[in-house]
Amino acid sequence: VAFVICALAGLSTALGGLIVASNATPSERFLAAALGFSAGVMLYISLVELLPTAIATGRHHAAVYGVIGGMAVMAVSLVLLT
């Protein structure tokens, strides 16, 4: 269940980025704000919703590594796409 929620959050971020980027003349401020908002939503879901569940099941280290890995993937994709 947690994986599906994270996957959907990641897909919504990618979809939002594509929608904003496909506009005829998107301003850089709007694009940065939209991507920042999407990243904040993903971070909230990961830390507030999924981490307590992982702690309750005893797999909190895997959850933290997943959050760090997701942040790394996002950082690399932002560097490669800009």
Side-chain angles (χ1 to χ4, degrees):
V1 174
F3 178 78
V4 172
I5 292 171
C6 286
L8 290 174
L11 289 174
S12 68
T13 301
L15 180 63
L18 289 174
I19 290 170
V20 171
S22 68
N23 288 337
T25 56
S27 70
E28 291 181 4
R29 287 184 187 171
F30 182 74
L31 179 60
L35 291 175
F37 177 77
S38 297
V41 169
M42 286 181 52
L43 186 63
Y44 173 82
I45 290 171
S46 297
L47 295 179
V48 175
E49 298 293 331
L50 299 177
L51 192 57
T53 303
I55 290 171
T57 60
R59 296 188 49 95
H60 57 280
H61 291 293
V64 171
Y65 295 146
V67 169
I68 292 171
M71 289 180 180
V73 168
M74 290 299 293
V76 169
S77 67
L78 287 174
V79 168
L80 292 177
L81 295 175
T82 56

